[in-house]
Amino acid sequence: DAGVIQSPRHEVTEMGQEVTLRCKPISGHNSLFWYRQTMMRGLELLIYFNNNVPIDDSGMPEDRFSAKMPNASFSTLKIQPSEPRDSAVYFCASTKSGGQDTQYFGPGTRLTVL
Amino acid sequence: AQSVTQPDIHITVSEGASLELRCNYSYGATPYLFWYVQSPGQGLQLLLKYFSGDTLVQGIKGFEAEFKRSQSSFNLRKPSVHWSDAAEYFCAVANQAGTALIFGKGTTLSVSS
């Protein structure tokens, strides 16, 4: 079975540009998570979806960040406008059900905002 | 609030030597605990997890961890380290709402020959 798929793997953009990160969870998984990893703050949960519905978005830094899950097999994380401090590795993870289940992580998207 | 502390930022172990990575958690009820490993440029992979029952948990790649409620610890161990074990290791606890994992800052393991 394919694992969690993320695209692009690397993204370099200039400050002020819109960035869209994509995630395809494992088929049959009902829960999806977006995390951000930085040296300073480690791994932080940004948002959690269950059955395509956002359940916890308290980790979303500010209004520049938005996430959607239009169906069970696709989610996006958008940053508009991007800023240099958004540079990080963004991970998507999925579970069969809920946050206490085993989370399967994608390979991540390394975002660099110049 | 729940939290996870990994006291060691970086550890170097000789190949073939034993390994113990420390993890302390703060949680009011019975925790769901996890250890993940991240190789350079890769996502996180689950090594093992503890939900209930036997406090000594076996995982993949020869790793084990022991849950000690009295010490609020969930230390990861391996009797003999291989060079391929060099990676970053994260301890995590599921939050009380069951909506996500709270991760420690990670411990980087280097293996010397």
Side-chain angles (χ1 to χ4, degrees):
Chain A
D1 286 340
V4 175
I5 299 172
Q6 290 187 246
S7 64
R9 292 294 308 275
H10 302 274
E11 177 81 33
V12 180
T13 190
E14 293 191 346
M15 183 174 63
Q17 296 298 306
E18 177 179 297
V19 175
T20 299
L21 311 181
R22 297 173 176 79
C23 175
K24 177 179 169 54
I26 293 173
S27 177
H29 282 195
N30 294 329
S31 299
L32 184 140
F33 307 80
W34 282 100
Y35 289 90
R36 178 172 65 177
Q37 185 180 37
T38 61
M39 290 291 291
M40 290 295 294
R41 301 173 67 88
L43 267 165
E44 304 173 280
L45 176 71
L46 299 177
I47 188 167
Y48 157 54
F49 291 89
N50 192 49
N51 292 322
N52 313 336
V53 176
I55 302 298
D56 182 357
D57 65 355
S58 59
M60 295 286 267
E62 48 200 270
D63 292 344
R64 297 185 298 107
F65 285 69
S66 63
K68 293 182 180 179
M69 192 165 186
N71 57 61
S73 59
F74 184 65
S75 176
T76 59
L77 177 68
K78 185 177 293 186
I79 308 173
Q80 167 63 22
S82 58
E83 296 182 2
R85 60 192 169 121
D86 301 329
S87 297
V89 181
Y90 292 81
F91 288 103
C92 176
S94 69
T95 72
K96 288 183 180 178
S97 180
Q100 294 177 337
D101 199 357
T102 299
Q103 296 197 15
Y104 294 86
F105 282 76
T109 296
R110 180 173 294 277
L111 173 65
T112 302
V113 183
L114 303 174
Chain B
Q2 301 99 318
S3 65
V4 175
T5 302
Q6 294 180 246
D8 304 306
I9 296 174
H10 189 197
I11 284 182
T12 299
V13 175
S14 299
E15 190 168 15
S18 63
L19 168 70
E20 182 169 27
L21 301 182
R22 296 184 291 164
C23 172
N24 294 99
Y25 66 89
S26 171
Y27 192 80
T30 300
Y32 286 19
L33 294 160
F34 305 78
W35 273 100
Y36 282 84
V37 61
Q38 183 181 26
S39 298
Q42 302 296 315
L44 280 71
Q45 180 186 21
L46 180 72
L47 285 176
L48 48 79
K49 60 186 178 184
Y50 171 78
F51 285 2
S52 65
D54 192 347
T55 56
L56 185 62
V57 181
Q58 301 298 321
I60 63 172
K61 305 184 181 186
F63 285 92
E64 67 178 26
E66 187 170 11
F67 170 61
K68 293 185 177 180
R69 183 187 299 275
S70 61
Q71 298 178 17
S72 297
S73 69
F74 188 56
N75 294 348
L76 182 71
R77 301 193 295 247
K78 187 170 184 178
S80 178
V81 168
H82 188 262
W83 63 266
S84 61
D85 294 324
E88 190 159 16
Y89 292 80
F90 292 92
C91 182
V93 63
N95 68 3
Q96 207 154 5
T99 56
L101 296 183
I102 299 168
F103 286 87
K105 290 293 179 66
T107 297
T108 300
L109 172 66
S110 298
V111 180
S112 61
S113 55

